[in-house]
Amino acid sequence: MGDKPIWEQIGSSFIQHYYQLFDNDRTQLGAIYIDASCLTWEGQQFQGKAAIVEKLSSLPFQKIQHSITAQDHQPKPDSCIISMVVGQLKADEDPIMGFHQMFLLKNINDAWVCTNDMFRLALHNFG
Amino acid sequence: MRRFRRDWAHRRDSGRYQRRREYFDEPETSYSSSRGRPTREEVVTPPLPEQAASGSLMATSVDFKTHVDQACRAAEEFVNIYYETMDKRRRALTRLYLEKATLIWNGNVVTGLEALANFFEMLPSSEFQVNMLDCQPVHEQATQAQTTVLVVTSGIVKFDGNKQHYFNQNFLLTAQSTPNNTVWKIASDCFRFQDWAST
């Protein structure tokens, strides 16, 4: 039994940190984005840390819980990591919904930040 | 009927995927002359314009719009060809991958063209229907000036002998530029059934 590759360790750490922040206080997510970051949220494009945090903070629910079904991580030659997450979430008292999210991570000044983020609900999956 | 989706979705998408361009209002333009639906084994687009020096904030925002536009066009073109090749000319599929490309297919890692060729040969024949497409250009800061586009697709697939599945797929495409055109190839590919845990 070998250790997981480093990019899997970093990727899964990031994922855990991201959803923990998101579920507990998503206004704190600014730290993981930079000014060059792009978010595509259900088809809408947002650029820059401020715009992204504003969008995430303004999502219309109070309670949110993510549950990860599967995650994949791949290294890129320039030391970035791509992470893909498939899972389910529950907002307030709404029914559980599937979602899919992709992150591109980069190490800047010894911290892993997200430069690209794409999120979609699996709206056709109701159960 | 209770709108349990609230305002998650900007709009409800159905049927074939729509381009994600609501970020800015620009009329649809066609970059290529009408050429029907050629059978192609590469994704080739016109040469990318010189990237303006990103000094002022204004230059940065113009660059961003241009890049998003280019990204979406290349992504759409690519997605069309990719799934058509996957369904109808499976043996040509590896031409769309870089030599050292990696695919993770429902958790199985496949690296390099030879492994990819073997993998795609073993995979049963497929019928893909893409319902959603998102794309983003990757900022220079992340890729050391190599033009890179991220593409996310989702939809339905039926592999011969298996039941239908919802799927999600991510591509990282890189552009190889020549003076006359730009050739897009897959550097990374990640595919999962949305409902794989319950199969």
Side-chain angles (χ1 to χ4, degrees), chain B residues 106 127 129 155-159 162-167 191-196 198-199:
Chain B
N106 280 323
E127 265 179 56
Q129 179 189 308
I156 297 171
V157 62
K158 171 116 181 28
F159 288 103
N162 294 272
K163 68 172 183 143
Q164 194 170 274
H165 287 277
Y166 292 111
F167 77 91
F191 176 95
R192 271 209 188 258
F193 296 144
Q194 175 77 35
D195 48 3
W196 77 278
S198 62
T199 54

PDB file of all heavy atoms in Angstrom, chain B residues 106 127 129 155-159 162-167 191-196 198-199:
ATOM      1  N   ASN B 106     -14.026   7.016 -14.882  1.00  0.00           N
ATOM      2  CA  ASN B 106     -14.664   6.428 -13.698  1.00  0.00           C
ATOM      3  C   ASN B 106     -13.618   5.907 -12.715  1.00  0.00           C
ATOM      4  O   ASN B 106     -13.720   4.799 -12.180  1.00  0.00           O
ATOM      5  CB  ASN B 106     -15.617   5.300 -14.095  1.00  0.00           C
ATOM      6  CG  ASN B 106     -16.947   5.845 -14.592  1.00  0.00           C
ATOM      7  OD1 ASN B 106     -17.448   6.852 -14.074  1.00  0.00           O
ATOM      8  ND2 ASN B 106     -17.512   5.207 -15.597  1.00  0.00           N
ATOM      9  N   GLU B 127     -23.225   5.929 -27.594  1.00  0.00           N
ATOM     10  CA  GLU B 127     -24.099   6.965 -28.150  1.00  0.00           C
ATOM     11  C   GLU B 127     -24.159   8.072 -27.121  1.00  0.00           C
ATOM     12  O   GLU B 127     -24.766   7.913 -26.069  1.00  0.00           O
ATOM     13  CB  GLU B 127     -25.513   6.408 -28.332  1.00  0.00           C
ATOM     14  CG  GLU B 127     -25.800   5.875 -29.712  1.00  0.00           C
ATOM     15  CD  GLU B 127     -27.220   5.321 -29.764  1.00  0.00           C
ATOM     16  OE1 GLU B 127     -28.169   6.089 -29.439  1.00  0.00           O
ATOM     17  OE2 GLU B 127     -27.357   4.136 -30.068  1.00  0.00           O
ATOM     18  N   GLN B 129     -25.084  11.940 -25.867  1.00  0.00           N
ATOM     19  CA  GLN B 129     -25.904  13.131 -26.074  1.00  0.00           C
ATOM     20  C   GLN B 129     -25.435  14.179 -25.070  1.00  0.00           C
ATOM     21  O   GLN B 129     -25.580  13.990 -23.854  1.00  0.00           O
ATOM     22  CB  GLN B 129     -27.379  12.803 -25.836  1.00  0.00           C
ATOM     23  CG  GLN B 129     -28.279  14.017 -26.005  1.00  0.00           C
ATOM     24  CD  GLN B 129     -29.701  13.726 -25.559  1.00  0.00           C
ATOM     25  OE1 GLN B 129     -30.296  12.748 -25.995  1.00  0.00           O
ATOM     26  NE2 GLN B 129     -30.223  14.545 -24.667  1.00  0.00           N
ATOM     27  N   GLY B 155     -24.272  15.150 -19.860  1.00  0.00           N
ATOM     28  CA  GLY B 155     -25.344  14.672 -20.720  1.00  0.00           C
ATOM     29  C   GLY B 155     -25.634  13.218 -20.412  1.00  0.00           C
ATOM     30  O   GLY B 155     -25.510  12.775 -19.269  1.00  0.00           O
ATOM     31  N   ILE B 156     -25.984  12.511 -21.469  1.00  0.00           N
ATOM     32  CA  ILE B 156     -26.407  11.122 -21.326  1.00  0.00           C
ATOM     33  C   ILE B 156     -25.579  10.269 -22.281  1.00  0.00           C
ATOM     34  O   ILE B 156     -25.277  10.704 -23.396  1.00  0.00           O
ATOM     35  CB  ILE B 156     -27.892  10.982 -21.698  1.00  0.00           C
ATOM     36  CG1 ILE B 156     -28.734  11.806 -20.723  1.00  0.00           C
ATOM     37  CG2 ILE B 156     -28.331   9.524 -21.652  1.00  0.00           C
ATOM     38  CD1 ILE B 156     -30.180  11.909 -21.135  1.00  0.00           C
ATOM     39  N   VAL B 157     -25.211   9.079 -21.823  1.00  0.00           N
ATOM     40  CA  VAL B 157     -24.478   8.181 -22.710  1.00  0.00           C
ATOM     41  C   VAL B 157     -25.022   6.768 -22.565  1.00  0.00           C
ATOM     42  O   VAL B 157     -25.404   6.339 -21.487  1.00  0.00           O
ATOM     43  CB  VAL B 157     -22.966   8.201 -22.422  1.00  0.00           C
ATOM     44  CG1 VAL B 157     -22.646   7.732 -21.006  1.00  0.00           C
ATOM     45  CG2 VAL B 157     -22.214   7.355 -23.444  1.00  0.00           C
ATOM     46  N   LYS B 158     -25.053   6.075 -23.684  1.00  0.00           N
ATOM     47  CA  LYS B 158     -25.422   4.667 -23.651  1.00  0.00           C
ATOM     48  C   LYS B 158     -24.295   3.887 -24.316  1.00  0.00           C
ATOM     49  O   LYS B 158     -24.003   4.078 -25.494  1.00  0.00           O
ATOM     50  CB  LYS B 158     -26.740   4.456 -24.408  1.00  0.00           C
ATOM     51  CG  LYS B 158     -27.109   3.014 -24.620  1.00  0.00           C
ATOM     52  CD  LYS B 158     -28.392   2.655 -23.886  1.00  0.00           C
ATOM     53  CE  LYS B 158     -28.814   1.206 -24.031  1.00  0.00           C
ATOM     54  NZ  LYS B 158     -27.772   0.217 -24.253  1.00  0.00           N
ATOM     55  N   PHE B 159     -23.654   3.039 -23.515  1.00  0.00           N
ATOM     56  CA  PHE B 159     -22.661   2.122 -24.057  1.00  0.00           C
ATOM     57  C   PHE B 159     -23.350   0.817 -24.399  1.00  0.00           C
ATOM     58  O   PHE B 159     -24.202   0.342 -23.651  1.00  0.00           O
ATOM     59  CB  PHE B 159     -21.537   1.869 -23.061  1.00  0.00           C
ATOM     60  CG  PHE B 159     -20.622   3.052 -22.885  1.00  0.00           C
ATOM     61  CD1 PHE B 159     -20.727   3.860 -21.769  1.00  0.00           C
ATOM     62  CD2 PHE B 159     -19.668   3.362 -23.844  1.00  0.00           C
ATOM     63  CE1 PHE B 159     -19.889   4.963 -21.597  1.00  0.00           C
ATOM     64  CE2 PHE B 159     -18.829   4.448 -23.700  1.00  0.00           C
ATOM     65  CZ  PHE B 159     -18.939   5.257 -22.574  1.00  0.00           C
ATOM     66  N   ASN B 162     -24.975  -1.894 -22.028  1.00  0.00           N
ATOM     67  CA  ASN B 162     -25.127  -1.329 -20.694  1.00  0.00           C
ATOM     68  C   ASN B 162     -26.326  -0.398 -20.656  1.00  0.00           C
ATOM     69  O   ASN B 162     -26.790   0.066 -21.688  1.00  0.00           O
ATOM     70  CB  ASN B 162     -23.878  -0.535 -20.306  1.00  0.00           C
ATOM     71  CG  ASN B 162     -22.669  -1.432 -20.164  1.00  0.00           C
ATOM     72  OD1 ASN B 162     -22.411  -1.981 -19.117  1.00  0.00           O
ATOM     73  ND2 ASN B 162     -21.927  -1.585 -21.249  1.00  0.00           N
ATOM     74  N   LYS B 163     -26.764  -0.096 -19.435  1.00  0.00           N
ATOM     75  CA  LYS B 163     -27.882   0.839 -19.358  1.00  0.00           C
ATOM     76  C   LYS B 163     -27.375   2.268 -19.542  1.00  0.00           C
ATOM     77  O   LYS B 163     -26.180   2.548 -19.437  1.00  0.00           O
ATOM     78  CB  LYS B 163     -28.630   0.686 -18.044  1.00  0.00           C
ATOM     79  CG  LYS B 163     -27.834   1.121 -16.840  1.00  0.00           C
ATOM     80  CD  LYS B 163     -28.709   1.128 -15.584  1.00  0.00           C
ATOM     81  CE  LYS B 163     -27.865   1.634 -14.447  1.00  0.00           C
ATOM     82  NZ  LYS B 163     -28.437   2.447 -13.483  1.00  0.00           N
ATOM     83  N   GLN B 164     -28.326   3.140 -19.781  1.00  0.00           N
ATOM     84  CA  GLN B 164     -28.000   4.542 -20.002  1.00  0.00           C
ATOM     85  C   GLN B 164     -27.486   5.182 -18.705  1.00  0.00           C
ATOM     86  O   GLN B 164     -27.933   4.830 -17.614  1.00  0.00           O
ATOM     87  CB  GLN B 164     -29.302   5.220 -20.422  1.00  0.00           C
ATOM     88  CG  GLN B 164     -29.134   6.584 -21.004  1.00  0.00           C
ATOM     89  CD  GLN B 164     -30.442   7.047 -21.614  1.00  0.00           C
ATOM     90  OE1 GLN B 164     -30.737   6.757 -22.750  1.00  0.00           O
ATOM     91  NE2 GLN B 164     -31.227   7.746 -20.827  1.00  0.00           N
ATOM     92  N   HIS B 165     -26.536   6.111 -18.837  1.00  0.00           N
ATOM     93  CA  HIS B 165     -26.021   6.819 -17.672  1.00  0.00           C
ATOM     94  C   HIS B 165     -25.999   8.311 -17.937  1.00  0.00           C
ATOM     95  O   HIS B 165     -25.740   8.739 -19.071  1.00  0.00           O
ATOM     96  CB  HIS B 165     -24.568   6.412 -17.386  1.00  0.00           C
ATOM     97  CG  HIS B 165     -24.416   5.051 -16.827  1.00  0.00           C
ATOM     98  ND1 HIS B 165     -24.565   4.758 -15.496  1.00  0.00           N
ATOM     99  CD2 HIS B 165     -24.084   3.881 -17.433  1.00  0.00           C
ATOM    100  CE1 HIS B 165     -24.346   3.466 -15.298  1.00  0.00           C
ATOM    101  NE2 HIS B 165     -24.046   2.907 -16.449  1.00  0.00           N
ATOM    102  N   TYR B 166     -26.180   9.105 -16.881  1.00  0.00           N
ATOM    103  CA  TYR B 166     -25.805  10.512 -16.951  1.00  0.00           C
ATOM    104  C   TYR B 166     -24.298  10.571 -16.770  1.00  0.00           C
ATOM    105  O   TYR B 166     -23.735   9.795 -15.999  1.00  0.00           O
ATOM    106  CB  TYR B 166     -26.484  11.302 -15.837  1.00  0.00           C
ATOM    107  CG  TYR B 166     -27.970  11.404 -15.998  1.00  0.00           C
ATOM    108  CD1 TYR B 166     -28.834  10.738 -15.132  1.00  0.00           C
ATOM    109  CD2 TYR B 166     -28.539  12.165 -17.022  1.00  0.00           C
ATOM    110  CE1 TYR B 166     -30.208  10.827 -15.277  1.00  0.00           C
ATOM    111  CE2 TYR B 166     -29.904  12.262 -17.170  1.00  0.00           C
ATOM    112  CZ  TYR B 166     -30.737  11.579 -16.302  1.00  0.00           C
ATOM    113  OH  TYR B 166     -32.099  11.666 -16.449  1.00  0.00           O
ATOM    114  N   PHE B 167     -23.658  11.497 -17.479  1.00  0.00           N
ATOM    115  CA  PHE B 167     -22.212  11.582 -17.336  1.00  0.00           C
ATOM    116  C   PHE B 167     -21.768  13.026 -17.184  1.00  0.00           C
ATOM    117  O   PHE B 167     -22.481  13.965 -17.569  1.00  0.00           O
ATOM    118  CB  PHE B 167     -21.501  10.956 -18.556  1.00  0.00           C
ATOM    119  CG  PHE B 167     -21.522  11.844 -19.780  1.00  0.00           C
ATOM    120  CD1 PHE B 167     -20.490  12.751 -20.025  1.00  0.00           C
ATOM    121  CD2 PHE B 167     -22.572  11.787 -20.671  1.00  0.00           C
ATOM    122  CE1 PHE B 167     -20.527  13.583 -21.139  1.00  0.00           C
ATOM    123  CE2 PHE B 167     -22.623  12.613 -21.787  1.00  0.00           C
ATOM    124  CZ  PHE B 167     -21.591  13.519 -22.023  1.00  0.00           C
ATOM    125  N   PHE B 191     -13.607  11.610 -16.872  1.00  0.00           N
ATOM    126  CA  PHE B 191     -14.980  11.194 -17.193  1.00  0.00           C
ATOM    127  C   PHE B 191     -15.566  10.429 -16.020  1.00  0.00           C
ATOM    128  O   PHE B 191     -14.897   9.556 -15.461  1.00  0.00           O
ATOM    129  CB  PHE B 191     -14.934  10.290 -18.439  1.00  0.00           C
ATOM    130  CG  PHE B 191     -16.262   9.707 -18.831  1.00  0.00           C
ATOM    131  CD1 PHE B 191     -17.041  10.329 -19.791  1.00  0.00           C
ATOM    132  CD2 PHE B 191     -16.728   8.531 -18.247  1.00  0.00           C
ATOM    133  CE1 PHE B 191     -18.269   9.785 -20.163  1.00  0.00           C
ATOM    134  CE2 PHE B 191     -17.947   7.989 -18.603  1.00  0.00           C
ATOM    135  CZ  PHE B 191     -18.722   8.619 -19.572  1.00  0.00           C
ATOM    136  N   ARG B 192     -16.793  10.763 -15.642  1.00  0.00           N
ATOM    137  CA  ARG B 192     -17.477   9.973 -14.621  1.00  0.00           C
ATOM    138  C   ARG B 192     -18.951   9.925 -14.929  1.00  0.00           C
ATOM    139  O   ARG B 192     -19.537  10.909 -15.380  1.00  0.00           O
ATOM    140  CB  ARG B 192     -17.321  10.596 -13.234  1.00  0.00           C
ATOM    141  CG  ARG B 192     -16.088  10.113 -12.522  1.00  0.00           C
ATOM    142  CD  ARG B 192     -16.259  10.123 -11.012  1.00  0.00           C
ATOM    143  NE  ARG B 192     -14.975   9.822 -10.370  1.00  0.00           N
ATOM    144  CZ  ARG B 192     -14.676   8.636  -9.856  1.00  0.00           C
ATOM    145  NH1 ARG B 192     -15.547   7.656  -9.859  1.00  0.00           N
ATOM    146  NH2 ARG B 192     -13.496   8.431  -9.304  1.00  0.00           N
ATOM    147  N   PHE B 193     -19.538   8.797 -14.611  1.00  0.00           N
ATOM    148  CA  PHE B 193     -20.995   8.758 -14.593  1.00  0.00           C
ATOM    149  C   PHE B 193     -21.451   9.601 -13.412  1.00  0.00           C
ATOM    150  O   PHE B 193     -20.845   9.554 -12.336  1.00  0.00           O
ATOM    151  CB  PHE B 193     -21.496   7.331 -14.407  1.00  0.00           C
ATOM    152  CG  PHE B 193     -21.154   6.399 -15.536  1.00  0.00           C
ATOM    153  CD1 PHE B 193     -20.835   5.080 -15.287  1.00  0.00           C
ATOM    154  CD2 PHE B 193     -21.186   6.836 -16.862  1.00  0.00           C
ATOM    155  CE1 PHE B 193     -20.542   4.203 -16.324  1.00  0.00           C
ATOM    156  CE2 PHE B 193     -20.887   5.969 -17.907  1.00  0.00           C
ATOM    157  CZ  PHE B 193     -20.560   4.644 -17.631  1.00  0.00           C
ATOM    158  N   GLN B 194     -22.495  10.357 -13.581  1.00  0.00           N
ATOM    159  CA  GLN B 194     -23.023  11.140 -12.460  1.00  0.00           C
ATOM    160  C   GLN B 194     -23.568  10.210 -11.392  1.00  0.00           C
ATOM    161  O   GLN B 194     -23.474  10.479 -10.214  1.00  0.00           O
ATOM    162  CB  GLN B 194     -24.143  12.069 -12.960  1.00  0.00           C
ATOM    163  CG  GLN B 194     -24.850  12.853 -11.868  1.00  0.00           C
ATOM    164  CD  GLN B 194     -24.046  14.030 -11.352  1.00  0.00           C
ATOM    165  OE1 GLN B 194     -23.328  14.680 -12.118  1.00  0.00           O
ATOM    166  NE2 GLN B 194     -24.123  14.333 -10.075  1.00  0.00           N
ATOM    167  N   ASP B 195     -24.113   9.094 -11.843  1.00  0.00           N
ATOM    168  CA  ASP B 195     -24.788   8.187 -10.925  1.00  0.00           C
ATOM    169  C   ASP B 195     -23.985   6.919 -10.707  1.00  0.00           C
ATOM    170  O   ASP B 195     -24.521   5.871 -10.438  1.00  0.00           O
ATOM    171  CB  ASP B 195     -26.159   7.836 -11.483  1.00  0.00           C
ATOM    172  CG  ASP B 195     -26.080   7.435 -12.956  1.00  0.00           C
ATOM    173  OD1 ASP B 195     -24.966   7.375 -13.512  1.00  0.00           O
ATOM    174  OD2 ASP B 195     -27.142   7.201 -13.564  1.00  0.00           O
ATOM    175  N   TRP B 196     -22.657   7.008 -10.856  1.00  0.00           N
ATOM    176  CA  TRP B 196     -21.852   5.787 -10.859  1.00  0.00           C
ATOM    177  C   TRP B 196     -21.927   5.057  -9.532  1.00  0.00           C
ATOM    178  O   TRP B 196     -21.822   3.846  -9.486  1.00  0.00           O
ATOM    179  CB  TRP B 196     -20.397   6.093 -11.217  1.00  0.00           C
ATOM    180  CG  TRP B 196     -19.620   6.692 -10.105  1.00  0.00           C
ATOM    181  CD1 TRP B 196     -19.608   8.005  -9.731  1.00  0.00           C
ATOM    182  CD2 TRP B 196     -18.762   6.011  -9.186  1.00  0.00           C
ATOM    183  NE1 TRP B 196     -18.791   8.168  -8.650  1.00  0.00           N
ATOM    184  CE2 TRP B 196     -18.259   6.979  -8.292  1.00  0.00           C
ATOM    185  CE3 TRP B 196     -18.380   4.683  -9.035  1.00  0.00           C
ATOM    186  CZ2 TRP B 196     -17.371   6.656  -7.267  1.00  0.00           C
ATOM    187  CZ3 TRP B 196     -17.486   4.358  -8.008  1.00  0.00           C
ATOM    188  CH2 TRP B 196     -16.995   5.333  -7.134  1.00  0.00           C
ATOM    189  N   SER B 198     -24.318   4.412  -7.762  1.00  0.00           N
ATOM    190  CA  SER B 198     -25.507   3.594  -7.566  1.00  0.00           C
ATOM    191  C   SER B 198     -25.665   2.511  -8.616  1.00  0.00           C
ATOM    192  O   SER B 198     -26.649   1.833  -8.671  1.00  0.00           O
ATOM    193  CB  SER B 198     -26.746   4.488  -7.580  1.00  0.00           C
ATOM    194  OG  SER B 198     -26.844   5.114  -8.840  1.00  0.00           O
ATOM    195  N   THR B 199     -24.661   2.374  -9.507  1.00  0.00           N
ATOM    196  CA  THR B 199     -24.799   1.334 -10.554  1.00  0.00           C
ATOM    197  C   THR B 199     -24.338  -0.025 -10.041  1.00  0.00           C
ATOM    198  O   THR B 199     -23.430  -0.086  -9.229  1.00  0.00           O
ATOM    199  CB  THR B 199     -23.971   1.664 -11.798  1.00  0.00           C
ATOM    200  OG1 THR B 199     -22.620   1.903 -11.404  1.00  0.00           O
ATOM    201  CG2 THR B 199     -24.507   2.889 -12.502  1.00  0.00           C
TER     202      THR B 199
END
